[in-house]
């Protein structure tokens, strides 16, 4: 994680929360922490522990990989690959074949 990523951690955590239209109090309640803790994280006065990051990712409906990719610009390509693989694994064979054909068309254009 670069220094710039770390400096923007709170903003990215806050951005995900606001995208989900959740208040700090709602997030705090779901994570079993105080609203003050969430405020401190969002204002870069505290960092979330790995355990809280895992719960936060679940609350946001994303994988930990996706969350870390949002936070760490160097990890984003890995997170994106894993997110694509996760989505593909949930599709039936016919849909996977259509996706593969589409990818090949984009690649060859």
């Amino acid at each position: 994680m670069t220094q710039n990523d770390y400096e923007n951690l709170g903003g990215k955590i806050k951005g995900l929360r606001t995208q989900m239209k959740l208040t700090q109090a709602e997030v705090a309640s779901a994570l079993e922490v105080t609203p003050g803790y969430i405020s401190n994280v969002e204002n870069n006065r505290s960092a979330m522990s790995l355990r809280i990051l895992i719960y936060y990712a679940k609350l946001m409906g994303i994988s930990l990989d996706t969350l870390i990719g949002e936070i760490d610009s160097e990890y984003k390509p890995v997170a994106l690959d894993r997110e694509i693989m996760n989505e593909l694994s949930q599709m039936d064979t016919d849909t996977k074949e259509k996706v593969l054909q589409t990818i090949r068309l984009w690649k060859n254009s």
Side-chain angles (χ1 to χ4, degrees):
M1 182 178 293
T2 67
Q3 181 64 27
N4 192 40
D5 289 327
Y6 179 76
E7 290 170 359
N8 292 321
L9 174 63
K12 291 177 182 183
I13 294 291
K14 180 178 182 178
L16 289 169
R17 175 182 61 78
T18 57
Q19 282 178 353
M20 297 295 292
K21 299 187 183 343
L22 296 170
T23 66
Q24 287 181 343
E26 290 168 329
V27 170
S29 177
L31 300 179
E32 298 181 359
V33 297
T34 66
Y37 174 79
I38 300 301
S39 175
N40 285 337
V41 167
E42 291 182 357
N43 290 296
N44 292 316
R45 292 187 294 261
S46 295
M48 286 184 168
S49 68
L50 178 58
R51 181 180 66 84
I52 298 295
L53 280 171
I54 291 167
Y55 293 145
Y56 189 81
K58 285 183 182 180
L59 178 65
M60 295 297 123
I62 59 178
S63 69
L64 183 58
D65 275 344
T66 300
L67 177 58
I68 299 303
E70 287 290 323
I71 294 168
D72 184 346
S73 59
E74 292 177 12
Y75 189 78
K76 192 170 185 93
V78 173
L80 184 58
D81 287 346
R82 289 190 181 171
E83 190 171 356
I84 290 168
M85 292 303 295
N86 182 49
E87 291 295 325
L88 284 171
S89 72
Q90 297 174 38
M91 295 178 182
D92 62 52
T93 302
D94 288 340
T95 304
K96 287 177 185 177
E97 288 175 0
K98 290 175 185 174
V99 169
L100 182 58
Q101 289 173 355
T102 302
I103 291 170
R104 286 180 177 152
L105 283 171
W106 285 339
K107 183 179 166 185
N108 295 327
S109 339

